[in-house]
Amino acid sequence: MSDNITIRPATEQDVPLIQGFIRDLARYEHLEHEMVATEEGLRKTLFGERRYAEVVFACVADDPVGFALFFHNYSTFLGKPGIYLEDLFVRPEARGRGIGKRLLAWLAATAVARDCGRLEWAVLDWNEPSIGFYRSLGAILKSEWQIFRLTGDPLKALAAEGPGR
C-alpha cells in the first residue's frame, strides 16, 4: 500500500467534488439515470443542521482520487451502532494502488474507535472485481439477506397511510 495516500474528511466546500464522485460511481455502476443528487441537497444533508452521512476522501499528493460515504446504523442483536458504507469509489486511473483498501481500513479503524459492532455494505452482484477484493479482506457475503427498498410513489403511498407527522 502506498504511503503517500492520505484520508481527509470532506468539508462543505467539497460538495461539487462529492457530487462528481457520486456521478462517476453511478456511471461505473450503469445507474447514471438514477443519479438525481444536487449540490443543494448534498449540502443540506451532509453539512446542514442534521448531518445524515459523512464523506472522506482518499488523496494522493493532496489530490482526491477516491471517496467513501458512510453513516451509522444500529444492530439490535449486538446492542451497538455500526457503520454502513453507502458508496466507495476510486477513480479508474488510481486503481491498483491500495486506495480502496486504505479507505476501508480507515472505516474499520473508525468503527473500532466509535465502538461499533460492524462495518457493512452492499455490492452489485455483477461486480466480480469488487466482490473478490472484499472477500480477500475477510468480508463475508450475507447471501441469506434480501434488500427491500421503497422509493417514489410507493413510499409516498405508504406514508399517506401512517399517522400525521
Side-chain angles (χ1 to χ4, degrees):
M1 203 173 329
S2 178
D3 288 328
N4 66 346
I5 300 166
T6 58
I7 307 294
R8 72 164 178 86
T11 66
E12 188 170 351
Q13 290 71 36
D14 290 317
V15 166
L17 183 60
I18 295 167
Q19 186 185 35
F21 270 103
I22 294 169
R23 185 177 297 107
D24 291 346
L25 173 63
R27 194 173 295 127
Y28 172 77
E29 292 182 339
H30 312 293
L31 296 170
E32 195 171 12
H33 61 282
E34 292 186 19
M35 197 274 193
V36 296
T38 64
E39 286 186 23
E40 178 183 333
L42 292 170
R43 189 170 280 105
K44 179 181 177 184
T45 57
L46 297 176
F47 300 101
E49 186 175 323
R50 180 164 182 203
R51 296 181 178 201
Y52 291 92
E54 299 174 58
V55 175
V56 294
F57 293 109
C59 301
V60 174
D62 295 326
D63 180 36
V65 295
F67 95 122
L69 186 147
F70 64 98
F71 53 87
H72 284 276
N73 56 14
Y74 193 84
S75 169
T76 55
F77 288 6
L78 296 176
K80 288 185 165 201
I83 288 180
Y84 187 83
L85 172 61
E86 179 67 23
D87 289 330
L88 178 100
F89 184 75
V90 176
R91 290 188 173 142
E93 65 273 13
R95 292 183 187 150
R97 298 170 61 185
I99 294 164
K101 186 173 184 179
R102 181 68 62 93
L103 280 165
L104 284 167
W106 185 93
L107 286 164
T110 299
V112 169
R114 294 181 184 182
D115 195 29
C116 295
R118 60 185 173 204
L119 168 62
E120 58 190 355
W121 60 93
V123 62
L124 290 167
D125 60 1
W126 59 261
N127 194 344
E128 289 298 329
S130 293
I131 292 168
F133 169 61
Y134 298 144
R135 287 181 192 267
S136 77
L137 299 175
I140 299 168
L141 178 64
K142 303 293 284 181
S143 60
E144 66 274 17
W145 291 91
Q146 302 278 326
I147 298 172
F148 282 87
R149 180 177 292 160
L150 275 174
T151 61
D153 291 338
L155 176 62
K156 292 174 186 172
L158 184 59
E161 294 182 27
R165 294 193 59 91

